[in-house]
Amino acid sequence: MLIATLSECRVRPGLLREWRLDESPFHEAARAAGEAVPASYNQEWHLKSVSKLTERGLGVPPWIGFGFELPGPLDAEAFRETLRAWVVRHDTLRSAFRMAVTGVERFSIPPATVSVRDTVVGKLSDGDDIPGRLQVRIDAAVGAFRRPSHVVETVERDDSTTVFVAMDHAHADGYSVMTAVAEWQHLYGAALAGGRPTALPPAGSYVDFGLDERAAARRIGAGHPAVGHWSRFLEGGGDRLFRFPLDLGVADGELLTHAKLDVRLLDAAEADAVEEVCHLAHGGFLAGLFAGLAAVSYDITGEPVYRTVMPVHTRSRPELLHSMGWYVGLAPVEISLGTAGSFRELVPGAHHSLGTALRSGRVPIVRIAEILGISEELERRMPEVFPFVSFIDTRVIPGVRQWPEWNARTVVRMRTRGSKVNIWVHRTHDGLWLTARYPGTESAETGIADFFDRLRGVLHCVAKTGDHTFDRSPRTMGGTP
């Protein structure tokens, strides 16, 4: 299961139709200044970043979404009800933002005011650049400060309909868009049957979560363990934290158009074999993945401590597992090779380090930065502060085994700009997949491909032999200066 761009999606010709919420309730809510509340930490950071890029003339809509197929001709009224019910279910989708003196404010519309409008755009034929047409429409409709900042596009045929749902990143994370696929299938099925949807678990409020998160963060002081962890992490890593362990051919502060690489690291049997080795070494699969990354980084740079940042979910209550929102913290991962000379020897330390990192990741990085006095430095490095490695075990996503039947996929606006390497790793029922986004230079393309070839080699060796050894003899450090 790879992260797809629209250009990678095959869409058959058909009737293009666009679906949006009626904007008038949002305008009315915007005029009711007393109803505004602060955005979540992630939303505020994101909106500041978007504003800075727009000021520099580099604005590209950072939307994410998902696509799938519905069988047969589209029932327009059932589809309208599906979108309405979905927005009513998730309060962040009824929210919009504005800049205020005190920061970013959020305002929301009541569920009863949600109304869906559709516009028939026209027929798409075989000769059309259908993904390109879809991207132009989504880019125009979705933006951080649009009201609303999400849109749905359908390409309708007699035998099936292709659906793309896109929203500004402020309203969703990767887990959200994955869980939404089955939710849409369920809601549309219920609407077709003319009844109320049943069996959908409760969806928590992301608006309330953002307020609770801010209240909890205000109680955190300099003595909190997460603050100390981040302080040591930043001091130990220095400027190397802001770079990938390879020369990417990017000047400091330069923002280049991103390129993308998809790699299958392991098949299902190999992933199971690696997991078994990790368990025998008193760790988990995630520890094994990061042990592999640490080993490859050491092989390239000679640096005995591997440091990176890992996005971690902050869905602390069961109902939040089914809620749309940006429930992500940043965890500072620091894995020391110590005396380890093999994968199995490195796994226990990686497992322990990840446990510490996950606990620190529950505290918003914005609050950490405030306490450490580095807010301006991090904002200066927007839109991307740290390279990161994200991991999701998609086997737990509701309905994921039906994704091939639904032709479902997550979709992102990948051709944004930046200077960092961002890595998403997905474990699926078919194996282990990796998607990397990186600055589109020749150096980066060559280096990134080599790095992940090495990682695949390490994991294959573990799957086949039960271990992988690496050379720990003294040598001069290489890699990124």
Side-chain angles (χ1 to χ4, degrees):
M1 182 186 306
L2 304 180
I3 299 174
T5 62
L6 275 173
S7 62
E8 295 169 317
C9 296
R10 288 188 175 185
V11 184
R12 293 164 50 212
L15 179 70
L16 176 60
R17 192 191 311 230
E18 185 169 282
W19 306 76
R20 291 179 58 84
L21 301 190
D22 182 2
E23 298 177 4
S24 55
F26 288 92
H27 298 320
E28 292 174 15
R31 289 191 290 269
E35 299 298 318
V37 297
S40 73
Y41 278 123
N42 280 345
Q43 290 173 329
E44 183 171 28
W45 180 272
H46 168 70
L47 294 164
K48 283 182 179 179
S49 176
V50 168
S51 297
K52 286 180 180 291
L53 285 175
T54 302
E55 289 170 3
R56 296 171 61 180
L58 300 174
V60 175
W63 55 260
I64 62 175
F66 53 98
F68 58 90
E69 302 277 332
L70 294 172
L74 187 71
D75 184 318
E77 292 313 306
F79 194 83
R80 189 187 315 279
E81 173 57 20
T82 299
L83 176 53
R84 189 202 67 80
W86 188 61
V87 171
V88 167
R89 176 172 165 81
H90 299 288
D91 59 2
T92 188
L93 300 175
R94 291 183 275 108
S95 299
F97 307 98
R98 62 169 170 241
M99 298 300 294
V101 176
T102 56
V104 178
E105 288 185 344
R106 175 215 305 276
F107 53 91
S108 301
I109 66 173
T113 65
V114 175
S115 176
V116 178
R117 294 183 174 180
D118 66 288
T119 302
V120 174
V121 179
K123 287 276 191 180
L124 299 176
S125 63
D126 282 319
D128 291 327
D129 175 11
I130 297 177
R133 291 277 299 274
L134 290 168
Q135 181 160 293
V136 168
R137 296 204 66 83
I138 292 174
D139 284 354
V142 176
F145 292 99
R146 289 296 303 267
R147 304 169 182 176
S149 51
H150 49 83
V151 70
V152 180
E153 307 286 344
T154 56
V155 181
E156 303 167 34
R157 300 168 289 272
D158 290 339
D159 60 343
S160 69
T161 295
T162 302
V163 181
F164 287 103
V165 182
M167 67 215 72
D168 187 81
H169 202 336
H171 297 294
D173 52 27
Y175 184 88
S176 293
V177 295
M178 290 180 184
T179 58
V181 173
E183 201 167 81
W184 267 74
Q185 294 281 345
H186 182 90
L187 289 170
Y188 183 67
L192 276 179
R196 287 184 139 193
T198 58
L200 275 181
S205 166
Y206 184 63
V207 174
D208 290 346
F209 170 86
L211 296 175
D212 293 343
E213 182 185 48
R214 283 183 176 275
R218 284 194 293 269
R219 297 192 292 270
I220 290 173
H224 193 281
V227 177
H229 186 190
W230 269 104
S231 179
R232 294 187 297 273
F233 176 78
L234 293 168
E235 183 178 354
D239 282 346
R240 293 190 303 278
L241 289 174
F242 304 104
R243 300 192 298 265
F244 194 70
L246 287 168
D247 180 14
L248 301 176
V250 181
D252 186 39
E254 189 176 14
L255 299 179
L256 300 180
T257 300
H258 282 128
K260 176 174 176 278
L261 175 69
D262 297 310
V263 177
R264 188 184 190 182
L265 296 174
L266 300 168
D267 64 26
E270 290 167 337
D272 289 342
V274 169
E275 184 171 30
E276 178 63 22
V277 171
C278 293
H279 287 163
L280 292 173
H282 306 291
F285 186 83
L286 184 62
L289 171 65
F290 276 85
L293 289 165
V296 172
S297 180
Y298 173 77
D299 189 43
I300 293 172
T301 68
E303 172 63 50
V305 181
Y306 172 68
R307 295 181 179 90
T308 190
V309 167
M310 178 175 66
V312 295
H313 87 79
T314 54
R315 298 169 189 264
S316 55
R317 300 190 305 275
E319 66 272 18
L320 299 182
L321 292 173
H322 309 284
S323 169
M324 296 295 293
W326 198 343
Y327 294 94
V328 174
L330 294 180
V333 178
E334 193 169 33
I335 298 174
S336 173
L337 272 71
T339 60
S342 72
F343 178 89
R344 289 184 68 152
E345 291 175 359
L346 187 52
V347 165
H351 182 76
H352 174 77
S353 297
L354 286 166
T356 303
L358 290 170
R359 289 189 292 273
S360 295
R362 300 293 182 184
V363 179
I365 183 62
V366 174
R367 180 57 180 153
I368 296 287
E370 288 173 353
I371 295 171
L372 295 179
I374 58 172
S375 297
E376 289 187 6
E377 167 66 11
L378 296 189
E379 288 186 14
R380 183 181 69 81
R381 294 179 179 273
M382 285 179 171
E384 301 169 310
V385 178
F386 303 104
F388 66 72
V389 180
S390 172
F391 175 79
I392 296 180
D393 189 337
T394 67
R395 297 173 301 171
V396 304
I397 301 296
V400 73
R401 283 195 178 274
Q402 293 173 272
W403 277 37
E405 173 192 340
W406 298 333
N407 192 23
R409 75 224 79 160
T410 55
V411 185
V412 297
R413 181 64 157 93
M414 187 68 77
R415 299 292 286 184
T416 48
R417 291 175 179 266
S419 60
K420 303 292 187 293
V421 177
N422 300 324
I423 301 166
W424 293 266
V425 183
H426 294 151
R427 187 172 182 187
T428 75
H429 289 103
D430 298 323
L432 189 68
W433 299 83
L434 178 148
T435 295
R437 183 179 70 180
Y438 57 91
T441 67
E442 235 179 90
S443 299
E445 183 175 354
T446 302
I448 295 299
D450 176 64
F451 188 95
F452 295 125
D453 278 345
R454 295 187 192 214
L455 176 60
R456 181 165 45 194
V458 170
L459 296 177
H460 276 196
C461 182
V462 173
K464 184 176 180 180
T465 70
D467 206 356
H468 170 81
T469 58
F470 38 92
D471 181 11
R472 294 302 309 277
S473 59
R475 56 199 174 97
T476 303
M477 292 190 212
T480 303

